[in-house]
Amino acid sequence: MKIALMDSGIGLLAATAAVRRLRPDADLILSLDPDGMPWGPRTPEDLTGRALAVAEAAAARRPDALIVGCNTATVHALPALRARLEPGVPVIGTVPAIKPAAAGGGPVAIWATPATTGSPYQRGLIADFADGVQVSEVPCWGLAEAVEHADEAAIGAAVTAAAALTPEDVTTVVLGCTHYELVAERIRTAVRRPGAAPLVLHGSAGAVAAQALRRLGELPAPDAPAEGTLTVLLSGREGELPAPALHYAEGRLLPAVGPFADRR
């Protein structure tokens, strides 16, 4: 089984690690776009063009499925990606976990990029899945960029600033950008209030990985032999994981198996 994941940068690491844990025997293809990142400030049309190029680079390696490991790309490019690749290659998007978060009753905070916060897309998800639940939208200025570059000082400052915008009574936080899952415990520590119940965090990586297996008619096999290979494409060129990826546990998990480990 061969599964591809795509993003402009290392935000796809959380979903990649989730796939690796569920199926250590799966071959993985990571298709990134260092030449075009970040995608967030781009127009929807420009972003879609970059996403299609990254997806086609992955598709040339003949994967069985493609995961769009980026919320922004899912919002703007998922229809175009599906039109280009399906039915031959199932395309799985990444949607903020608002529905399961709201099921807990709230109050809920959605941490997202400034561009996504308040967007019709996110407001639509809230209306569809969190009706009657107290939801606060929290813009996280600079957090995705800080995580992308593994800039510890900038990560700390961005998390602190977003935590200050998060209402005191919040019990649940939705991580509405895949980059944020890489610093989930720092977010938990920053938001949790003294004497309050443990904060519940909802990311998308586990659900996306499980959906990819369902689309392929496969079952999780976490005890399968850890023989899956890893191929990294950088704007279409085969390369290695960007150095900041190894700053995170999810990134360090990946080179442990396959020919990629032998090249390091």
Side-chain angles (χ1 to χ4, degrees):
M1 179 168 55
K2 187 184 296 184
I3 295 178
L5 299 97
M6 59 168 282
D7 191 2
S8 63
I10 63 173
L12 52 63
L13 285 179
T16 305
V19 173
R20 175 64 87 214
R21 292 186 182 102
L22 290 176
R23 289 300 298 256
D25 58 336
D27 294 337
L28 303 180
I29 302 164
L30 307 190
S31 191
L32 287 69
D33 188 26
D35 293 355
M37 66 177 298
W39 283 350
R42 293 180 177 274
T43 65
E45 295 76 18
D46 191 17
L47 187 156
T48 297
R50 300 297 310 189
L52 285 168
V54 167
E56 288 174 344
R61 303 301 178 108
R62 302 178 65 85
D64 299 302
L66 172 68
I67 292 172
V68 184
C70 173
N71 297 91
T72 302
T74 298
V75 171
H76 296 296
L78 187 61
L81 291 168
R82 285 181 166 162
R84 183 72 57 89
L85 298 179
E86 291 187 342
V89 180
V91 180
I92 296 92
T94 299
V95 177
I98 294 173
K99 183 177 181 179
V108 174
I110 304 172
W111 283 35
T113 63
T116 300
T117 301
S119 66
Y121 167 75
Q122 184 160 289
R123 292 282 170 87
L125 292 175
I126 293 170
D128 290 342
F129 300 121
D131 186 38
V133 176
Q134 180 182 327
V135 176
S136 302
E137 297 179 89
V138 178
C140 301
W141 297 94
L143 181 53
E145 294 81 1
V147 172
E148 178 69 32
H149 296 100
D151 185 332
E152 283 291 323
I155 291 170
V159 168
T160 298
L165 297 175
T166 303
E168 293 277 341
D169 60 347
V170 158
T171 61
T172 305
V173 172
V174 175
L175 303 177
C177 171
T178 54
H179 281 79
Y180 303 169
E181 297 191 52
L182 302 178
V183 292
E185 290 311 309
R186 295 183 67 164
I187 293 171
R188 187 192 306 276
T189 299
V191 176
R192 185 179 178 186
R193 314 302 183 191
L199 186 73
V200 178
L201 296 182
H202 284 274
S204 302
V208 166
Q211 176 66 4
L213 293 185
R214 283 194 293 270
R215 291 287 302 272
L216 293 175
E218 297 280 353
L219 295 174
D223 297 325
E227 298 173 348
T229 62
L230 180 71
T231 301
V232 178
L233 304 175
L234 304 173
S235 298
R237 308 176 298 273
E238 187 165 349
E240 295 190 348
L241 279 173
L246 301 181
H247 183 77
Y248 304 102
E250 292 85 348
R252 293 191 295 272
L253 172 70
L254 300 178
V257 296
F260 182 85
D262 299 333
R263 297 201 300 267
R264 293 190 63 81

